[in-house]
């Protein structure tokens, strides 16, 4: 099956620093990538949708200047958490979809655990 | 506003028996539903989906049932196996070209007892 990787798998940083998380589709080209965050015992919440070469579409309530998304190629998307604060500590998961339709399967990465001290 | 709800945070089932996981939704515009399975420290993996034009979809040991009038879907796993122990998320979406985002439930932790 299709594989999506994320790097790093976990990161601890000081408050005020920026953190970049990479999401790669390893064996397919992803026309669309999605970024989610999950708080403990809560559901995955979609943060933004990105298509290769265009600006990401952010969900309501997600600060685009704080969570910078770059979908530079069909196999790579990055999420940068700028000026991270403790409330940004969460589990961030990306997913990638090869086709353009809803019924095309989203393949999820293993997630990145961010802890901001 | 939790549009997709999984009211049972956990479920324990004896190996070999049937596991039934439930999911309710409030948005009548949803017309595509999926189930994902998640192991700790891993991303969710797709299990099975169903379109609103159907009321049942089967794939091996997994069957999803959709009751549109009740806004309810369920995932049946039979027979349950120890490897099925994981967190199961249901997700819903509205087919709207250019905006097909998934709304996830809070998950149900399934434990299969050997």
């Amino acid at each position: 099956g299709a594989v999506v990787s994320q790097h790093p798998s976990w990161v601890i940083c000081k408050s005020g620093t920026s953190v970049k998380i990479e999401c790669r589709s390893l064996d397919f080209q992803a026309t669309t990538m999605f970024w989610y965050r999950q708080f403990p015992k809560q559901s995955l919440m979609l943060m933004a949708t990105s298509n290769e070469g265009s600006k990401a579409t952010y969900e309501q309530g997600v600060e685009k200047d704080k969570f910078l998304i770059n979908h530079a190629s069909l196999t790579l998307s990055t999420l940068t958490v700028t000026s991270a604060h403790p409330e940004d500590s969460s589990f961030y998961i990306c997913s990638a979809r090869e086709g353009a339709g809803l019924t095309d399967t989203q393949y999820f990465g293993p997630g990145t655990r961010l802890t901001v001290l | 506003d939790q549009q997709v709800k999984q009211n049972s945070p956990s479920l324990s089932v004896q190996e070999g028996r049937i596991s039934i996981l439930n999911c309710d939704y409030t948005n009548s515009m949803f017309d595509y539903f999926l189930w994902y399975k998640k192991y700790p420290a891993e991303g969710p993996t797709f299990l099975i989906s169903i379109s609103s034009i159907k009321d049942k979809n089967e794939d091996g040991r997994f069957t999803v049932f959709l009751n549109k009038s009740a806004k309810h879907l369920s995932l049946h796993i039979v027979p349950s196996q120890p490897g099925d122990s994981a967190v199961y998320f249901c997700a819903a979406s509205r087919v709207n070209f250019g905006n097909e985002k998934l709304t996830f439930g809070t998950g149900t932790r399934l434990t299969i007892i050997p």
Side-chain angles (χ1 to χ4, degrees):
Chain A
V3 178
V4 175
S5 69
Q6 275 183 248
H7 178 80
S9 55
W10 58 270
V11 57
I12 301 173
C13 69
K14 292 183 179 180
S15 184
T17 61
S18 295
V19 175
K20 179 186 284 189
I21 302 170
E22 291 186 351
C23 176
R24 292 181 186 271
S25 57
L26 298 186
D27 49 4
F28 67 99
Q29 293 188 322
T31 55
T32 307
M33 286 186 168
F34 304 84
W35 286 96
Y36 296 82
R37 66 188 296 182
Q38 183 186 22
F39 291 108
K41 298 185 179 180
Q42 294 189 24
S43 60
L44 284 75
M45 300 297 294
L46 180 66
M47 298 174 66
T49 303
S50 74
N51 293 294
E52 185 263 341
S54 61
K55 290 184 178 180
T57 302
Y58 289 81
E59 294 301 302
Q60 192 173 10
V62 177
E63 299 175 58
K64 59 183 67 176
D65 294 331
K66 181 168 185 62
F67 298 100
L68 300 178
I69 292 172
N70 186 337
H71 194 157
S73 75
L74 285 172
T75 59
L76 173 65
S77 176
T78 59
L79 167 68
T80 302
V81 183
T82 61
S83 187
H85 289 95
E87 58 266 29
D88 299 323
S89 297
S90 187
F91 192 59
Y92 292 86
I93 305 177
C94 72
S95 70
R97 189 175 69 195
E98 183 173 17
L102 169 64
T103 55
D104 293 299
T105 303
Q106 284 188 35
Y107 297 96
F108 284 81
T112 297
R113 171 76 58 194
L114 170 63
T115 302
V116 184
L117 302 176
Chain B
D1 175 28
Q2 190 69 33
Q3 296 187 65
V4 179
K5 300 177 184 178
Q6 293 175 257
N7 292 319
S8 298
S10 63
L11 175 68
S12 294
V13 174
Q14 204 78 31
E15 182 180 359
R17 299 287 184 99
I18 183 171
S19 296
I20 300 176
L21 298 105
N22 294 303
C23 179
D24 297 293
Y25 60 96
T26 58
N27 188 341
S28 58
M29 301 300 290
F30 287 143
D31 51 16
Y32 191 67
F33 305 89
L34 309 90
W35 283 94
Y36 283 84
K37 174 181 179 179
K38 185 180 182 300
Y39 293 115
E42 293 184 14
T45 54
F46 170 76
L47 269 180
I48 192 168
S49 63
I50 188 167
S51 164
S52 62
I53 62 174
K54 294 186 174 182
D55 54 20
K56 176 183 174 182
N57 189 25
E58 192 172 351
D59 184 1
R61 296 186 299 115
F62 302 93
T63 303
V64 56
F65 295 92
L66 175 63
N67 183 334
K68 289 189 292 292
S69 61
K71 296 192 183 67
H72 177 84
L73 65 154
S74 61
L75 174 69
H76 293 210
I77 307 172
V78 57
S80 300
Q81 299 174 354
D84 296 330
S85 295
V87 177
Y88 289 78
F89 290 94
C90 67
S93 186
R94 176 184 174 187
V95 176
N96 178 12
F97 293 107
N99 190 27
E100 304 95 349
K101 63 178 185 180
L102 297 178
T103 301
F104 282 85
T106 51
T108 295
R109 180 176 301 280
L110 175 64
T111 302
I112 305 302
I113 304 165

